[in-house]
Amino acid sequence: KQWYQRRVRADGHGDDYIEKREFRFFLHSLRQYFEYFVAFARIDGEGDRRINLEEFVAAKDMMEAWVGPIDDMEATFASIDTNGGGQILFDEFCAWAIKKSLDLEDDEE
């Protein structure tokens, strides 16, 4: 979604096709979202594609390796949970991961 929004702003027409000049950016974005999905899945202990507060707090050490120190886990959880549903959804997690420049420690990059 965010890749598409950036593309619409960049070229102004937002068609459904990737042009040759956009392909490298598309691949980079796809790889980045895959990395976010892997991180999200590692935190999601129940495998329900949602992260609750207990899962989030339990993954503190792992997440700090990816984004740096997190002082207040509950406040951070609340700031990520933008819809106030009491759980972090993948799109909310991605928005936070982008802001924090999340980088898995064991990927090949």
Side-chain angles (χ1 to χ4, degrees):
K1 182 178 179 181
Q2 290 176 342
W3 170 83
Y4 181 76
Q5 289 171 340
R6 277 192 233 132
R7 181 165 180 263
V8 169
R9 281 187 231 124
D11 67 15
H13 56 73
D15 59 31
D16 293 333
Y17 301 99
I18 298 170
E19 297 173 15
K20 185 176 181 178
R21 64 184 169 83
E22 301 167 322
F23 193 68
R24 182 182 299 262
F25 180 73
F26 169 75
L27 288 179
H28 173 74
S29 297
L30 186 63
R31 190 218 175 274
Q32 202 61 39
Y33 273 87
F34 178 73
E35 186 168 333
Y36 299 153
F37 182 78
V38 169
F40 186 86
R42 288 182 186 176
I43 299 167
D44 178 21
E46 295 176 12
D48 59 357
R49 297 190 185 216
R50 296 174 288 194
I51 299 172
N52 61 38
L53 181 59
E54 289 104 24
E55 292 169 327
F56 190 76
V57 170
K60 181 179 185 191
D61 292 338
M62 185 170 40
M63 286 190 301
E64 287 185 329
W66 302 335
V67 300
I70 302 172
D71 295 326
D72 186 342
M73 292 299 286
E74 290 183 18
T76 301
F77 181 89
S79 73
I80 298 169
D81 180 22
T82 56
N83 72 359
Q87 299 175 330
I88 298 173
L89 305 177
F90 182 64
D91 64 329
E92 295 170 324
F93 181 79
C94 287
W96 175 76
I98 290 166
K99 288 178 194 170
K100 298 295 279 183
S101 299
L102 183 145
D103 186 35
L104 293 179
E105 74 283 351
D106 59 351
D107 66 350
E108 293 185 21
E109 206 176 319

